[in-house]
Amino acid sequence: MNINWFPGHMKKTKELLQTNLKLVDVVYELIDSRIPLSSRNPEIDKIIMNKPRIVIMNKSDLSDPIINKEWIKYFKEKGINTILIDSIKKKGISELTKETELVVKEKKERQLNRGIKNRPIRAMIVGVPNVGKSTLINTLSRKKSAKTGDRPGVTKGKQWIKLKGNIELLDTPGILWPKFEDQEIAKKLAFTGAIKDEIMDIETLALKLLEKLIVLAPFKLEKRYNIETENKTALEVMDEIALKRGAILKQSEIDYSRVANIILDEFRDGTIGNISLEIPN
């Protein structure tokens, strides 16, 4: 399975980030807690350069809480300010506001010395598609400022949004790599829904996900679907899940499209359990 992704609006988004970076004091880089490295776009590193940044590990309710702490330690050792967020349950929001004030403290003091008072802190939020930017913005602003959806590409253009704590936020569409040189990264992004399912073979994608889950979280698979995974291939496990869920066509054939959607949906919404696909070195 070879995943490629280069829609035209990704190039426009990159240009948008470069153009508007000078307008902001801090950048919020939103990543998926289940895949902290794979959901960090190296293009964003090149664009942001030395601009103050806070990495926000979103969807922390879907990843393993023990591994979340390991990732916080990992980023801290690299000198990167990092916050765990659960946008839906509003966990970590106050910590983000406090961290924002800390990283722009020196700049605010310089502004005060020049007689500039009460200027809003301007932040820009960036990240790959479907990492939860719109949900986070709506949580921060306490109103429905941004469109949300469980599909990548919902945000179409830039918009300024007023937040609590005298912060103005510039939202941007999600940005992925121009191409995927590492197919493992591409697969992890696809597992979590950062790439549209329509451009992929979801049956193979679900099978590849099962291969990982059998290794990383076999007990959670077994508990969710009431099956056994020991000494079984991913295809055998998929067949068992199909039988348990009634994903059967006429003549007792497996409905692989249906069972693939069940597996992907239940992984993405956390129904299978809190699972991290990446662990620090």
Side-chain angles (χ1 to χ4, degrees):
M1 182 176 61
N2 192 45
I3 301 170
N4 292 297
W5 179 256
F6 189 41
H9 81 268
M10 294 299 179
K11 180 176 182 294
K12 294 177 183 177
T13 301
K14 184 178 176 181
E15 293 169 353
L16 181 73
L17 298 183
Q18 291 169 326
T19 301
N20 290 285
L21 190 63
K22 60 182 177 291
L23 301 177
V24 302
D25 306 307
V26 59
V27 175
Y28 294 157
E29 181 187 357
L30 204 58
I31 62 176
D32 190 318
S33 294
R34 296 166 295 182
I35 50 169
L37 292 186
S38 293
S39 57
R40 294 192 76 211
N41 189 337
E43 292 291 328
I44 292 175
D45 272 343
K46 297 173 187 176
I47 296 167
I48 293 173
M49 300 295 285
N50 297 321
K51 180 71 71 172
R53 173 185 355 189
I54 299 172
V55 168
I56 300 171
M57 290 179 59
N58 196 30
K59 303 188 179 183
S60 60
D61 58 314
L62 301 179
S63 51
D64 187 310
I66 295 174
I67 296 174
N68 285 346
K69 292 177 181 178
E70 292 181 23
W71 279 113
I72 292 292
K73 181 182 177 183
Y74 170 89
F75 286 121
K76 185 177 181 180
E77 288 174 351
K78 292 184 175 295
I80 300 173
N81 302 300
T82 310
I83 301 290
L84 282 171
I85 291 280
D86 175 358
S87 300
I88 295 174
K89 295 180 181 176
K90 301 178 175 60
K91 292 182 179 179
I93 301 302
S94 60
E95 287 86 347
L96 177 59
T97 304
K98 291 174 184 175
E99 191 66 29
T100 302
E101 292 170 351
L102 281 175
V103 299
V104 301
K105 184 178 179 181
E106 290 184 9
K107 183 172 183 178
K108 295 290 285 185
E109 288 174 352
R110 291 197 300 270
Q111 290 173 345
L112 283 172
N113 291 335
R114 298 202 307 267
I116 302 172
K117 298 179 181 179
N118 298 321
R119 179 187 175 275
I121 298 171
R122 287 190 166 178
M124 179 165 67
I125 188 166
V126 299
V128 300
N130 206 34
V131 76
K133 291 192 302 298
S134 297
T135 303
L136 176 60
I137 290 167
N138 292 339
T139 299
L140 289 169
S141 62
R142 300 185 183 181
K143 60 183 179 180
K144 197 170 183 179
S145 304
K147 293 181 180 179
T148 62
D150 60 358
R151 294 159 56 83
V154 172
T155 306
K156 299 300 183 184
K158 74 171 184 178
Q159 52 182 328
W160 285 99
I161 299 164
K162 286 191 71 65
L163 309 180
K164 297 289 183 180
N166 201 26
I167 299 173
E168 291 182 352
L169 183 67
L170 176 62
D171 182 23
T172 60
I175 177 172
L176 279 171
W177 293 260
K179 61 180 178 179
F180 293 122
E181 295 178 355
D182 187 332
Q183 283 296 302
E184 280 303 308
I185 289 176
K187 279 188 284 189
K188 289 174 187 175
L189 287 164
F191 293 154
T192 57
I195 304 171
K196 292 179 180 178
D197 287 338
E198 288 88 339
I199 70 169
M200 296 175 296
D201 171 4
I202 65 162
E203 295 170 14
T204 303
L205 183 66
L207 193 65
K208 294 294 184 183
L209 175 59
L210 279 178
E211 287 177 0
K212 288 202 172 294
L213 296 184
I214 288 169
V215 174
L216 295 173
F219 300 119
K220 291 178 180 177
L221 270 179
E222 291 170 356
K223 183 178 179 181
R224 175 59 188 165
Y225 298 111
N226 191 26
I227 59 171
E228 296 292 333
T229 61
E230 190 174 0
N231 299 322
K232 290 182 180 176
T233 66
L235 183 57
E236 289 171 336
V237 171
M238 181 180 269
D239 286 350
E240 281 203 39
I241 294 172
L243 291 171
K244 291 287 184 179
R245 289 304 181 87
I248 308 297
L249 297 168
K250 293 179 179 178
Q251 299 177 339
S252 301
E253 293 181 1
I254 301 292
D255 187 341
Y256 284 108
S257 178
R258 184 179 169 194
V259 72
N261 276 298
I262 289 171
I263 293 164
L264 289 169
D265 288 346
E266 294 194 350
F267 167 73
R268 290 169 181 170
D269 66 17
T271 303
I272 295 175
N274 301 76
I275 300 170
S276 296
L277 297 181
E278 294 180 339
I279 301 170
N281 292 336

